Amino acid sequence: MKIQTNNPRVLAVQTLARVKDGAYSNLQLNQVIKKHDLSDADRRLLTTLVYGVIQHRLTLAYWLEPFVANKKLDDWVRELLYTALFQMQYLDKIPQHAVFNESIEVAKILGHVGIRKFVTGILHDISRKGLRDISAIEDNIEALSVKFSLPIWLIKTLIEQNGLTETQSMLATINDVPRQSVRVNTVLSSVDDVTLSLENEGFSVKKSEVARDALVISGGYVAGTKAYQSGWITIQDESAMLPVESLQLNQHVKTILDAAAAPGGKTTQMAQMISSEASITALDIHQHKVKLIQDNAKRLGVGDRVEALSLDARDVPSHFAHQQFDRILVDAPCSGLGLLRRKPEIRYDKTLADVNHLAELQLEILSAVSQNLAKNGIIVYSTCTILQQENDNVVNLFLKEHPDFELVRTQTAHNLKADREEMTLQIYPHDYHTDGFFVATFQKIDVD
């Protein structure tokens, strides 16, 4: 349906229908924002509606179901009703009559008179009868699933692995707005200079307590700033910077392999920390993603330190038959369940079978690239997920199959979770309000 409009509610409904059909929310949203001339307020409303409805989809479905019963609805009509419910329940600055009027207007723009009347009837029915109470759900797991809009299998797995209390603490923050953070490119600028530049453009800036050279910012569109356009910063979550910190890079490190590098955030982070004699080989299986790595490295002024290649990391032993690396980073393909705030649709797309399949792939990659690690070298294995199947289980299997490696304590610049007993580092979304991340550090040892 091609409707020429800059109405943020119409655009939100259309975007949500595409996401429900399989598109990525962040890519769809970026395309819509670029294509339409929106005010800052409309852009914020559009973003809030899209992410809000995706985050709370199971909750919204629970509330809507009694009013639509078994009626077959077009995707966009269902998404329109979800946006109305979301605004009524989660956006306290928009009065109900305004939500109703705007939603009926969207129905008028996108549909025929029959749909407009149907939407009007549903909304007035909701107003008269009210929404059913989630606390009425007797099954505790189902109640948590509906309340926080996470699939039952994921709730069960988190409770099995972390206990009920810790899981509830995690769930309480899982739908919060993600913080915006950037990494300062110390090759071209400094933390102090970047802070001043961003503040001069109206941003609120504070130093990260999680990662070195990181800033937490708010107040606008980062990619439009002088700091970003000049290559002084790159957008990166704080916890995503920790794997590189744990590589223990120093002046003796000359060769580094980034085994799954796209889009290049960690590659360029390493590049700004190495000496001029050192080099990074960055791999990705897809050629178009190799270009992303190259473009990011060029924008940040470290293109001469990075060689990007299209290669399946499992083929490293044959492709680099006679080459050994001082450091190897395996930021492995994973379920991404640590990114629920930033990519909320992940929760509906993944299954436990997907998680187990990914764990097998992760072990294959780690086992393959480990053959090319120099004596006393270090491999860092990381994922942006919070499930043990892809984290601790992979680590334990790797150690069992590779007696020439030992697990060493993961180190970070700010010594995070200093009192933990584990050698690995698991960051949960509620720990520092960052993405969830897991980092394990291995060292190659002599075996008699």
Side-chain angles (χ1 to χ4, degrees):
M1 183 185 305
K2 297 203 172 179
I3 305 288
Q4 297 299 321
T5 178
N6 286 331
N7 183 317
R9 289 177 172 84
V10 172
L11 298 177
V13 168
Q14 292 176 319
T15 302
L16 285 164
R18 292 188 200 105
V19 171
K20 190 69 174 64
D21 204 32
Y24 290 110
S25 60
N26 57 334
L27 298 180
Q28 278 298 311
L29 203 50
N30 288 339
Q31 285 179 15
V32 171
I33 288 172
K34 285 180 181 178
K35 185 177 176 182
H36 294 270
D37 184 21
L38 301 175
S39 67
D40 287 344
D42 282 350
R43 189 169 62 236
R44 285 194 298 271
L45 178 60
L46 168 63
T47 302
T48 299
L49 290 178
V50 170
Y51 281 131
V53 168
I54 296 172
Q55 282 179 322
H56 299 283
R57 183 173 296 280
L58 297 184
T59 315
L60 300 171
Y62 174 80
W63 284 330
L64 181 62
E65 193 273 336
F67 300 99
V68 298
N70 297 319
K71 293 185 178 73
K72 181 167 176 56
L73 305 182
D74 289 342
D75 284 346
W76 73 265
V77 176
R78 189 176 296 274
E79 299 303 326
L80 170 58
L81 292 170
Y82 284 167
T83 63
L85 282 171
F86 173 75
Q87 291 172 83
M88 290 166 57
Q89 294 301 107
Y90 295 101
L91 301 185
D92 54 9
K93 291 184 179 179
I94 304 179
Q96 181 173 292
H97 68 84
V99 172
F100 282 16
N101 290 341
E102 293 291 348
S103 299
I104 293 166
E105 181 64 22
V106 173
K108 189 188 301 182
I109 293 171
L110 292 179
H112 52 70
V113 65
I115 290 178
R116 177 179 61 77
K117 289 181 177 178
F118 171 77
V119 168
T120 302
I122 294 291
L123 293 175
H124 286 295
D125 206 15
I126 289 171
S127 180
R128 283 195 307 272
K129 297 177 180 177
L131 302 175
R132 56 181 176 172
D133 194 340
I134 294 172
S135 63
I137 301 174
E138 294 182 2
D139 183 276
N140 290 336
I141 301 295
E142 184 186 352
L144 287 172
S145 173
V146 171
K147 181 178 180 180
F148 297 106
S149 198
L150 288 178
I152 285 175
W153 76 264
L154 182 54
I155 300 277
K156 284 183 175 178
T157 305
L158 289 172
I159 291 174
E160 288 169 5
Q161 297 182 358
N162 302 283
L164 179 60
T165 301
E166 187 71 8
T167 298
Q168 287 175 322
S169 297
M170 197 186 312
L171 297 182
T173 71
I174 212 75
N175 293 320
D176 290 349
V177 176
R179 298 201 302 192
Q180 187 168 217
S181 58
V182 298
R183 191 188 78 245
V184 175
N185 177 19
T186 53
V187 171
L188 298 180
S189 191
S190 68
V191 170
D192 288 343
D193 287 346
V194 166
T195 299
L196 183 61
S197 177
L198 290 172
E199 287 178 341
N200 285 340
E201 292 192 45
F203 285 82
S204 173
V205 184
K206 67 175 183 176
K207 288 185 179 179
S208 169
E209 297 178 356
V210 176
R212 181 176 54 203
D213 299 329
L215 298 172
V216 179
I217 66 175
S218 60
Y221 181 56
V222 184
T225 62
K226 177 183 177 183
Y228 186 90
Q229 300 293 337
S230 302
W232 301 345
I233 58 172
T234 190
I235 300 169
Q236 189 175 14
D237 188 76
E238 297 162 90
S239 59
M241 304 178 203
L242 301 177
V244 171
E245 291 185 4
S246 60
L247 275 168
Q248 303 172 39
L249 298 176
N250 55 50
Q251 68 271 22
H252 302 297
V253 174
K254 303 300 181 187
T255 54
I256 303 169
L257 176 68
D258 191 347
K266 297 176 185 65
T267 310
T268 55
Q269 184 183 358
M270 290 187 285
Q272 74 183 51
M273 298 170 66
I274 60 177
S275 68
S276 56
E277 299 87 37
S279 64
I280 300 168
T281 302
L283 310 179
D284 194 89
I285 195 168
H286 302 291
Q287 185 60 50
H288 70 281
K289 290 189 176 181
V290 170
K291 187 175 186 308
L292 282 179
I293 300 169
Q294 293 168 331
D295 290 346
N296 276 328
K298 183 179 179 181
R299 186 180 74 82
L300 298 172
V302 293
D304 58 332
R305 307 180 189 189
V306 176
E307 181 186 11
L309 302 173
S310 175
L311 183 71
D312 188 322
R314 292 170 292 184
D315 295 331
V316 163
S318 57
H319 190 89
F320 297 100
H322 305 293
Q323 185 171 353
Q324 302 229 298
F325 297 91
D326 300 321
R327 297 286 189 272
I328 298 177
L329 175 62
V330 179
D331 186 45
C334 72
S335 63
L337 291 168
L339 310 178
L340 290 176
R341 290 193 197 106
R342 216 171 290 284
K343 297 180 178 179
E345 68 269 26
I346 287 174
R347 68 189 77 193
Y348 313 115
D349 296 341
K350 301 299 181 191
T351 65
L352 192 54
D354 293 329
V355 169
N356 291 328
H357 173 72
L358 285 162
E360 294 174 3
L361 173 62
Q362 292 153 1
L363 183 59
E364 288 176 14
I365 292 172
L366 190 54
S367 297
V369 301
S370 69
Q371 299 175 49
N372 290 76
L373 187 68
K375 180 181 175 182
N376 296 320
I378 289 174
I379 290 182
V380 165
Y381 169 76
S382 63
T383 70
C384 54
T385 190
I386 50 180
L387 298 185
Q388 291 176 7
Q389 286 91 334
E390 301 176 81
N391 296 338
D392 299 287
N393 292 7
V394 172
V395 167
N396 293 333
L397 284 170
F398 177 77
L399 290 171
K400 183 178 179 181
E401 295 175 5
H402 298 83
D404 52 337
F405 282 84
E406 67 176 1
L407 190 64
V408 298
R409 187 174 177 83
T410 292
Q411 301 175 13
T412 60
H414 292 317
N415 198 20
L416 300 181
K417 296 193 173 183
D419 59 349
R420 73 184 193 274
E421 295 180 3
E422 301 83 5
M423 303 288 272
T424 58
L425 177 64
Q426 176 72 71
I427 303 296
Y428 290 107
H430 64 299
D431 288 335
Y432 305 103
H433 217 82
T434 64
D435 291 344
F437 240 87
F438 174 85
V439 189
T441 310
F442 304 97
Q443 187 158 28
K444 193 168 187 179
I445 57 174
D446 289 326
V447 178
D448 295 331

